[in-house]
Amino acid sequence: MSAPTKPQIAQVRAILYKPSIVRQISDDLSSINVLLGVAAYTPSGSGPVWIIPHTGKVDSGITEAVTRALRTASTLRQMAHQISGLSIPAADRTNLVKFLDSRASAWTARANVWAQTTPLSSDKIKSILSTIGGYESVAVAAAKKVSAYLTGNGP
């Protein structure tokens, strides 16, 4: 397996770190934290009402968080698609795509569970957490194999 060249790393980073995309993802993730009431400065116990009792519908703040999570997933998949067309070492391309696609799958799974309007059993919650954790584990393992593209430690 050959090490990536500086131009190859630059091609990947141009996709991963495009300023407008970084701003959008950062804004979406920050907004999700606020909308879900999990931002560091959110007082304990002041999170949203998830399901509106008299309508049975998901709160509009949660719906906005779902939309932002799905947009993040879509953006990650678009980046994976762009990287899949680059002329970089095949194993690196595979791992970069796996990293991005797995993160996208985790965000999609989060969005889907946030949009639920029916109570989930303990077993279902454990299954969902396991699924999301599995996606994240795959993403981390893939990212470790292509760290030269993701950090300032490349050639």
Side-chain angles (χ1 to χ4, degrees):
M1 176 165 54
S2 62
T5 64
K6 284 184 181 183
Q8 290 170 329
I9 290 173
Q11 285 180 334
V12 170
R13 288 183 180 173
I15 293 168
L16 295 178
Y17 302 114
K18 182 178 179 182
S20 61
I21 299 298
V22 170
R23 277 190 304 275
Q24 180 230 311
I25 290 175
S26 178
D27 179 59
D28 283 342
L29 297 182
S30 179
S31 294
I32 288 168
N33 285 341
V34 170
L35 292 163
L36 297 183
V38 296
Y41 53 81
T42 304
S44 179
S46 65
V49 173
W50 212 274
I51 305 293
I52 308 297
H54 64 279
T55 66
K57 294 186 180 191
V58 175
D59 175 81
S60 62
I62 303 304
T63 302
E64 176 65 20
V66 167
T67 298
R68 287 176 179 265
L70 292 173
R71 181 168 54 203
T72 297
S74 175
T75 299
L76 293 169
R77 284 192 179 96
Q78 289 169 17
M79 291 165 52
H81 178 73
Q82 291 172 330
I83 287 173
S84 72
L86 294 180
S87 181
I88 61 175
D92 291 352
R93 188 173 46 250
T94 297
N95 281 305
L96 284 161
V97 168
K98 185 183 293 185
F99 161 66
L100 293 165
D101 279 342
S102 295
R103 294 300 318 271
S105 293
W107 279 108
T108 299
R110 286 181 184 99
N112 290 339
V113 75
W114 295 340
Q116 291 289 317
T117 58
T118 56
L120 300 173
S121 69
S122 176
D123 286 343
K124 183 65 176 173
I125 292 168
K126 287 176 187 174
S127 173
I128 291 166
L129 291 173
S130 178
T131 298
I132 293 170
Y135 289 136
E136 293 292 359
S137 292
V138 168
V140 168
K144 286 180 181 179
K145 295 176 184 175
V146 290
S147 63
Y149 296 93
L150 307 175
T151 67
N153 298 330

